[in-house]
Amino acid sequence: MRILVLNGSPRLNGNTAAMVNAFAEGAKEAGHQVDVIAVCRKKIAGCLACEYCHTKGNRHCVQQDDMQEVYPLLDEAEMIVLASPVYYHSFSGQLQCAINRIYALDKPQKLKKAALLLSSGSDNVYGGAIYEYQNSFLDYLKLEDMGIFTAFGKQNQSEELLNRLREFGKSLK
């Protein structure tokens, strides 16, 4: 299976990155192809709501930024993983921009599954991100929810969490 991970953390070696790396390690071990995009290292602007993609662009966004590198991966991916630290009860702004720009494709052609990885310094702050993931992202794109993984405080980068994520990656069919 081809898996695309959108990592919304600005920290290259932070808690979210550790979660992503553990998941990707397990998925690759199981034979899946995993592409990880660190969206905070890309220049991805927010959606302009210009409708070019649906009226003149034939699924192409008028904005020529780094999202152009992501679109082909989205169209080939069978699973997407959204990974983010929780900022004010939601995704990082950089990840939110990338999510909003998926609109240009309407519904990526092969995408069938999704998962969510969230890290935080505090517990009980995931509600906004989980709500958006379940009630907007999954529903609109008609994706099967493969799992939600959250970690806070000392759970971040714990061997227990990282092993769970490796096993999750290995278990995907």
Side-chain angles (χ1 to χ4, degrees):
M1 175 169 39
R2 188 126 186 220
I3 302 169
L4 175 61
V5 180
L6 297 180
N7 179 356
S9 176
R11 294 182 180 165
L12 289 177
N13 297 308
N15 297 325
T16 304
M19 293 173 79
V20 167
N21 291 339
F23 164 78
E25 183 182 308
K28 287 176 184 177
E29 192 176 313
H32 302 294
Q33 181 178 339
V34 181
D35 296 296
V36 177
I37 301 294
V39 297
C40 292
R41 299 288 177 242
K42 301 289 183 185
K43 291 185 190 273
I44 299 175
C47 179
L48 298 173
C50 67
E51 289 296 325
Y52 177 86
C53 55
H54 296 290
T55 58
K56 299 177 189 147
N58 191 25
R59 299 180 78 237
H60 289 82
C61 183
V62 71
Q63 298 185 79
Q64 296 301 305
D65 60 10
D66 290 342
M67 194 65 186
Q68 300 306 319
E69 299 169 25
V70 179
Y71 287 135
L73 298 173
L74 272 165
D75 259 342
E76 291 302 315
E78 298 161 83
M79 180 176 176
I80 188 168
V81 177
L82 303 178
S84 182
V86 175
Y87 292 160
Y88 208 69
H89 304 277
S90 195
F91 303 121
S92 67
Q94 297 92 329
L95 180 59
Q96 191 61 60
C97 284
I99 292 169
N100 289 351
R101 293 282 297 283
I102 294 172
Y103 178 71
L105 299 180
D106 189 28
K107 295 181 174 118
Q109 297 169 343
K110 298 177 181 176
L111 204 56
K112 302 288 182 232
K113 300 174 181 185
L116 180 63
L117 312 179
L118 298 172
S119 67
S120 178
S122 304
D123 197 10
N124 300 316
V125 296
Y126 312 109
I130 292 172
Y131 181 87
E132 182 177 343
Y133 170 74
Q134 290 176 328
N135 297 297
S136 180
F137 194 75
L138 292 177
D139 284 353
Y140 180 73
L141 294 174
K142 308 278 188 261
L143 302 177
E144 179 184 356
D145 181 10
M146 301 304 292
I148 298 172
F149 296 83
T150 61
F152 74 96
K154 291 181 181 179
Q155 293 174 350
N156 284 304
Q157 299 196 39
S158 69
E159 274 309 306
E160 179 186 347
L161 171 69
L162 300 180
N163 285 334
R164 262 186 44 225
L165 286 163
R166 278 186 206 95
E167 291 304 315
F168 170 59
K170 285 181 195 177
S171 73
L172 294 171
K173 305 247 183 280

